[in-house]
Amino acid sequence: MPHRALTSVPVHPLLAERWSPRSFDPAHTLGGGQLASLLEAARWAASAFNVQPWRFLVGRRGDATFKAVHGALVGFNQRWAGDASVLIVAVAAESGADGAPVPTAAYDTGLAAAQLTTQAHAEGLHAHQMSGFDAGRLATAFGIPDGFRPLAVIAVGAVADPERLDDSLRARETAPRHRRPLEESFFSGAWGEPVDLRPA
């Protein structure tokens, strides 16, 4: 697994082996049962007060939804995302049925997206989440109501050989993965003070 995370302590393989490729197999199609598993995983995410503020637009390669989502991506993402088997837009309902704001809408929708991507990896697939898209164009194309905000587009499919990418994309595809050290992100007691992880 060349892209397996070099974690400082062991984590579940589904997490360590998850990564975001750009090289997808353009011949791969996602069956309805497998797609349903991804969506079901998202459906059972946790949310504050069980409000479930997420909505997802789902397009399969070749259909009108996929084409409209692909057309709303920035040019860099259009270069590779068209080979994915599906493109999924994660949308957050920022207000409830009563009009009251849902302050956790983005957080909860992110949890649902995370479960979708983890389920994709469990199914032998890969997912790549993108922020590079035109939200206004998506809203117009799909009639997304006011109060609903597209947060991300998720490409899902079967990974392919990075050699099929152009030079700049291939360099990103094959670059080593990295994260900040634990002590730079997780604090205790005071801001910037690392969590004490010594045995109790």
Side-chain angles (χ1 to χ4, degrees):
M1 294 296 296
H3 286 281
R4 185 184 179 99
L6 298 176
T7 58
S8 57
V9 295
V11 299
H12 195 284
L14 279 176
L15 302 177
E17 296 169 6
R18 184 221 60 80
W19 65 289
S20 303
R22 292 182 177 86
S23 183
F24 286 100
D25 180 356
H28 177 268
T29 58
L30 199 61
Q34 202 169 35
L35 178 58
S37 293
L38 272 58
L39 305 183
E40 186 72 358
R43 185 169 81 99
W44 283 97
S47 66
F49 301 102
N50 199 27
V51 169
Q52 306 167 56
W54 50 78
R55 305 292 188 275
F56 291 88
L57 287 162
V58 182
R60 295 190 186 195
R61 190 178 56 250
D63 71 17
T65 299
F66 186 102
K67 292 174 183 175
V69 174
H70 186 261
L73 298 175
V74 298
F76 176 81
N77 289 331
Q78 286 184 356
R79 285 163 52 192
W80 58 268
D83 288 338
S85 301
V86 296
L87 290 176
I88 301 172
V89 184
V91 182
E94 297 188 307
S95 57
D98 59 358
V102 179
T104 61
Y107 183 90
D108 294 345
T109 302
L111 286 174
Q115 292 201 178
L116 185 154
T117 60
T118 303
Q119 182 66 32
H121 193 72
E123 298 277 340
L125 303 167
H126 283 79
H128 188 123
Q129 302 176 74
M130 297 169 269
S131 61
F133 61 90
D134 185 331
R137 184 167 175 172
L138 286 176
T140 299
F142 295 106
I144 298 173
D146 291 343
F148 288 80
R149 182 162 65 97
L151 297 179
V153 175
I154 309 168
V156 181
V159 72
D161 193 318
E163 290 303 314
R164 59 187 313 278
L165 298 172
D166 64 40
D167 290 346
S168 62
L169 288 174
R170 186 166 41 301
R172 288 171 177 256
E173 194 81 344
T174 57
R177 298 178 62 195
H178 62 87
R179 290 293 189 275
R180 288 191 304 271
L182 284 171
E183 61 269 17
E184 294 183 13
S185 296
F186 302 92
F187 311 140
S188 178
W191 189 261
E193 182 177 333
V195 177
D196 184 355
L197 297 175
R198 293 173 298 180

